[in-house]
Amino acid sequence: PKAGEEARKLFDEAQEMLAEIVRNKSLQAHAVLGFYPANTFDDDTIRVYHPEDDASPLVDFHSLRQQGKKGPGVPNLSFSDFVAPESTGRKDYIGAFAVTAGHGIEKLVEHYAAAHDDFNIIMVKALADRLAEAFAEYLHAQVRKQYWGYAPAEVLDNEAFIREKYQGVRPAPGYPGCPDHTEKATLFRLLEVEKNAGISLTESLAMYPTAAVCGFYYAHPQSRYFGLGKIGADQVADIAQRKNMDLPVLEKWLSPNLNYTPQKKPLLVP
């Protein structure tokens, strides 16, 4: 009634396709997740340890910190703030995950392409994307209540669930608070995502199947989402060194968040 006749028609067509997908089991959902001992050091580096030997480092994740001016007493956040520093002597934990609802989509796209049905090609891709996001949301609920189990008694109505009134966050590489897509490569290596969930990374660090989500689990009661904003050359150079990555390469990945113009190498004129 509020959105109009065409919106209702589109919704109904999507429901019909969704029912057909469920009936034929034409899309499959796969996921992998893991939990690891972890601590921070150098403020913004999260060191992940072997789950059966918390003295054996596995990988480092490099979070980025807000650098914009804030009001008095308002912190410049980094997701590393939600993991205990190594200096405290306390072992903390972090989770990681990758999910997809896109296995089988190629056959559906081929089917609609053969019928020159561009509308349903777009529709099935949109539905697969929504199913992947829904799977990520469902899995996060299971993490809180069962797999990690830090909120076993959680009970939320639909409104509270949509407004994310639960404890913990699951930021994804490429999102506003952690825009560095290159962290995906480390996450995929840690979880052996391609082997365990059938999701691969392209050269441009896009996930395939495209109906996929990956990210981190933070359980700290004060953890929350935020936008990174603009960052300076000092932070980028520091993290490039810690990541053992060429500075121009990292600057390219982080270009929307830079508060400066990267220096270009001079052209070599013969």
Side-chain angles (χ1 to χ4, degrees), residues 48 66 131 133 158 178 244 256:
V48 174
Q66 296 171 320
L131 289 169
E133 293 288 352
N158 196 52
C178 47
N244 195 27

Side-chain angles (χ1 to χ4, degrees), residues 210-238:
T210 56
V213 183
C214 71
F216 307 98
Y217 293 128
Y218 296 94
H220 195 288
Q222 292 177 286
S223 61
R224 61 184 180 88
Y225 297 108
F226 56 87
L228 179 68
K230 298 294 184 179
I231 57 174
D234 55 340
Q235 178 171 190
V236 180
D238 176 64

Side-chain angles (χ1 to χ4, degrees), residues 26-254:
S26 47
L27 290 179
Q28 294 83 46
H30 295 183
V32 58
L33 71 164
F35 307 98
Y36 302 88
N39 283 117
T40 61
F41 67 100
D42 295 333
D43 291 332
D44 298 329
T45 299
I46 302 171
R47 178 152 292 171
V48 174
Y49 298 90
H50 194 287
E52 296 177 1
D53 180 6
D54 60 13
S56 299
L58 287 177
V59 300
D60 287 346
F61 289 110
H62 301 86
S63 59
L64 294 161
R65 184 171 297 280
Q66 296 171 320
Q67 288 184 282
K69 282 191 174 183
K70 301 283 190 76
V74 180
N76 289 72
L77 294 174
S78 168
F79 281 110
S80 60
D81 293 338
F82 308 130
V83 179
E86 189 177 40
S87 60
T88 64
R90 298 178 60 182
K91 189 62 65 179
D92 207 345
Y93 294 86
I94 189 174
F97 72 94
V99 306
T100 180
H103 288 297
I105 196 170
E106 295 88 352
K107 289 185 178 179
L108 288 175
V109 169
E110 288 173 5
H111 168 74
Y112 293 124
H116 305 287
D117 190 345
D118 293 340
F119 176 82
N120 275 331
I121 290 175
I122 295 171
M123 179 75 82
V124 74
K125 289 180 177 180
L127 279 175
D129 286 343
R130 293 301 87 206
L131 289 169
E133 293 288 352
F135 189 15
E137 191 74 77
Y138 168 80
L139 194 63
H140 194 190
Q142 298 307 305
V143 163
R144 298 189 301 272
K145 293 188 285 187
Q146 178 183 347
Y147 297 129
W148 197 334
Y150 60 81
E154 175 185 288
V155 178
L156 299 173
D157 62 22
N158 196 52
E159 185 65 21
F161 195 77
I162 290 171
R163 292 182 177 276
E164 300 172 341
K165 296 297 184 181
Y166 43 74
Q167 178 182 328
V169 293
R170 58 170 195 282
Y175 277 58
C178 47
D180 183 2
H181 283 276
T182 67
E183 293 292 286
K184 284 182 193 170
T186 306
L187 186 151
F188 268 58
R189 191 167 67 250
L190 176 67
L191 292 176
E192 297 184 89
V193 173
E194 187 165 4
K195 172 185 173 183
N196 291 316
I199 310 168
S200 58
L201 284 178
T202 68
E203 288 185 359
S204 60
L205 297 181
M207 291 180 284
Y208 186 83
T210 56
V213 183
C214 71
F216 307 98
Y217 293 128
Y218 296 94
H220 195 288
Q222 292 177 286
S223 61
R224 61 184 180 88
Y225 297 108
F226 56 87
L228 179 68
K230 298 294 184 179
I231 57 174
D234 55 340
Q235 178 171 190
V236 180
D238 176 64
I239 289 186
Q241 183 177 26
R242 283 190 270 146
K243 287 168 73 82
N244 195 27
M245 179 179 289
D246 288 342
L247 179 59
V249 174
L250 187 58
E251 287 178 326
K252 181 180 178 180
W253 284 105
L254 295 176

